């Protein structure tokens, strides 16, 4: 469609399927605890994985990454494969998450973005006008090959461990593109959203198309679940989320249902930080599993999401610095809350902090596995 501002973009809220995909044969992971819990079934043990488990806190990761930039590591298949496997080997987690970054599809499409150490994603030319949106390049299926090649390397190495693919949600990507980098208040993003809604929806439609294609390519390559990260959605009221964001996240998540060969069986996890007031809307966007940060009890979050969705979370990452007794007490408490939900995948409420002791993470996995399941 073309907006009143002249921006050609897919109709927001409607899935886009322009990519032709050849699906890899899917692994038989019957009984895998992570997938059982994500589907709302009773797993053999309480499954656990950690956001940002691939990298950051691991000395073997830092040694491997020495001399290579983040985007280079994300787009070098054998390096991506090894980094993704490291926490599975060390910690015995129940799922691997593909080592990548939310700006990877932007970079692959040719949008000028870099990851600056100590800062995060930085955009060379922020997108703030209708003309900027119109000039945005589209992501082509073949441009995702470095990511799908890494998945092809990973699958035989993972054995019976599920692999999670991921992408950044349109709102979070839009915020980086508009602000030019990380932002505390998202003032330029919110100003564009309200002052030029047609430009906003044109941009979000483009990003929904890009993100949907990026996820469908990962699923076709063989990932067993996907997580859509909307890191900055908690900056919005529920009213604004429903008007300006939900249709585009729904377009991404619903587009997976139209991809070939068994995509409906791939759980879709939707996660944001500070989103306690948004769980119902995030579930409505098409989530199968709602990710919960550490601020809201799991059973409360499940109720807010409508009472039918499994949840994922939600140990405060800082608790991993508190000592064994405190960690164990929190694991027991959170696992207890999880028994009062339709299904529970144990995780942190955000990512592993860089200075976390890897041995503490390993021991936490053992403690989680010792908890009773519903």
């Amino acid at each position: 469609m073309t907006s009143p501002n002249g921006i050609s973009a897919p109709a927001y809220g409607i899935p886009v399927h322009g990519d032709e995909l050849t699906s890899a044969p899917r692994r038989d992971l019957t009984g895998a605890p992570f997938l059982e819990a994500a589907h709302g079934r009773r797993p053999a043990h309480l499954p656990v994985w950690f956001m940002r488990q691939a990298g950051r806190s691991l000395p073997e990761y830092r040694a491997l990454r020495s001399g290579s930039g983040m985007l280079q590591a994300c787009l070098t298949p054998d390096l991506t494969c090894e980094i993704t496997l490291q926490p599975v080997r060390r910690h015995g987690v129940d799922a691997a998450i593909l080592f990548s970054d939310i700006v990877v599809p932007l970079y692959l499409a040719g949008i000028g973005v870099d990851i600056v150490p100590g800062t995060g994603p930085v955009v060379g030319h922020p997108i703030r006008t209708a003309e900027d949106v119109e000039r945005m390049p589209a992501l082509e299926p073949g441009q995702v090959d470095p990511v799908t090649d890494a998945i092809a390397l990973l699958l035989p190495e993972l054995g019976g461990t599920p692999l999670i693919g991921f992408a950044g949600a349109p709102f979070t990507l839009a915020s980086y593109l508009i602000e030019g980098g990380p932002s505390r208040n998202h003032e330029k993003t919110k100003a564009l959203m309200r002052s030029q809604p047609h430009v906003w929806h044109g941009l979000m439609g483009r990003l929904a198309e890009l993100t949907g294609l990026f996820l469908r390519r990962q699923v076709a390559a063989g990932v067993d679940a996907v997580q859509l990260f909307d890191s900055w959605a908690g900056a919005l009221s529920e009213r604004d989320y429903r008007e300006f964001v939900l249709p585009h996240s729904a377009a991404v998540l619903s587009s997976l249902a139209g991809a070939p060969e068994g995509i409906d069986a791939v759980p879709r996890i939707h996660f944001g930080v500070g989103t306690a007031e948004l769980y119902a809307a995030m579930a409505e966007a098409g989530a199968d599993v709602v990710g919960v940060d550490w601020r809201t009890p799991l059973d409360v979050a499940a109720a807010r999401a409508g009472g039918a969705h499994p949840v994922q979370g939600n140990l405060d990452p800082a608790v991993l610095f508190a000592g064994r007794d405190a960690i164990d007490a929190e694991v027991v408490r959170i696992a207890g809350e999880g028994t009062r939900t339709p299904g529970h995948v144990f995780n942190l409420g955000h990512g592993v902090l860089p200075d976390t002791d890897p041995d503490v993470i390993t021991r936490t996995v053992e403690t989680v596995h010792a908890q009773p399941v519903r």
Side-chain angles (χ1 to χ4, degrees):
M1 77 173 183
T2 300
S3 80
N5 280 22
I7 301 171
S8 58
Y12 63 89
I14 300 175
V16 179
H17 305 287
D19 48 308
E20 295 295 329
L21 305 179
T22 301
S23 291
R26 306 208 67 79
R27 295 181 295 162
D28 182 1
L29 298 180
T30 302
F34 164 75
L35 293 174
E36 291 294 287
H39 285 297
R41 298 189 289 262
R42 190 178 190 275
H45 63 251
L46 180 60
V48 55
W49 69 278
F50 299 103
M51 289 180 280
R52 294 181 183 155
Q53 66 185 15
R56 304 194 77 177
S57 64
L58 298 183
E60 56 265 43
Y61 164 78
R62 292 192 290 270
L64 194 62
R65 273 285 315 277
S66 178
S68 65
M70 178 66 176
L71 287 170
Q72 179 187 354
C74 293
L75 298 174
T76 304
D78 58 346
L79 199 56
T80 298
C81 177
E82 173 59 23
I83 294 170
T84 302
L85 289 169
Q86 286 176 345
V88 179
R89 295 194 199 106
R90 180 185 271 261
H91 304 311
V93 288
D94 294 287
I97 185 163
L98 185 68
F99 177 73
S100 190
D101 189 272
I102 64 171
V103 301
V104 162
L106 301 178
Y107 179 84
L108 290 174
I111 295 170
V113 61
D114 195 12
I115 300 174
V116 178
T119 300
V122 174
V123 178
H125 299 284
I127 294 176
R128 296 170 183 165
T129 67
E131 293 73 23
D132 292 335
V133 175
E134 191 62 37
R135 285 193 294 265
M136 284 178 61
L139 181 66
E140 300 297 332
Q143 292 173 316
V144 189
D145 286 352
V147 176
T148 58
D149 288 348
I151 294 169
L153 293 175
L154 274 163
L155 295 180
E157 297 292 331
L158 282 167
T161 302
L163 177 62
I164 304 168
F166 78 89
F171 174 77
T172 292
L173 295 180
S175 181
Y176 280 118
L177 290 174
I178 295 165
E179 303 288 341
S183 172
R184 182 183 299 273
N185 299 309
H186 310 280
E187 58 268 34
K188 295 182 179 67
T189 304
K190 293 181 178 181
L192 178 64
M193 180 192 298
R194 293 184 174 279
S195 65
Q196 300 184 74
H198 294 298
V199 176
W200 171 261
H201 286 300
L203 172 60
M204 290 287 280
R206 295 286 181 95
L207 292 173
E209 182 178 16
L210 173 146
T211 302
L213 189 154
F214 189 59
L215 286 175
R216 291 195 301 275
R217 288 283 287 155
Q218 292 178 60
V219 171
V223 301
D224 307 292
V226 295
Q227 178 154 313
L228 188 65
F229 284 86
D230 213 347
S231 305
W232 306 133
L236 300 172
S237 67
E238 183 181 9
R239 179 184 61 252
D240 285 348
Y241 180 88
R242 287 184 176 279
E243 179 176 354
F244 295 108
V245 176
L246 190 154
H248 305 287
S249 292
V252 172
L253 292 170
S254 63
S255 78
L256 296 176
E261 293 194 24
I263 303 309
D264 286 339
V266 173
R268 298 162 293 181
I269 309 165
H270 201 4
F271 173 76
V273 181
T275 52
E277 300 303 319
L278 304 181
Y279 291 137
M282 293 176 75
E284 289 172 26
D288 299 304
V289 180
V290 176
V292 183
D293 74 10
W294 66 92
R295 297 171 177 87
T296 309
L298 287 177
D299 48 350
V300 173
R304 290 182 180 182
H309 292 76
V311 292
Q312 178 177 278
N314 65 341
L315 182 68
D316 185 339
V319 171
L320 294 178
F321 295 84
R324 180 167 188 163
D325 290 346
I327 296 168
D328 289 352
E330 279 296 276
V331 169
V332 169
R333 180 187 63 79
I334 291 165
E337 291 174 359
T339 63
R340 300 191 292 274
T341 72
H344 178 208
V345 175
F346 198 100
N347 207 307
L348 299 179
H350 201 195
V352 173
L353 297 172
D355 294 330
T356 307
D357 182 344
D359 291 339
V360 170
I361 297 175
T362 302
R363 189 170 50 73
T364 301
V365 170
E366 295 169 355
T367 304
V368 171
H369 284 166
Q371 302 309 303
V373 295
R374 65 181 179 89

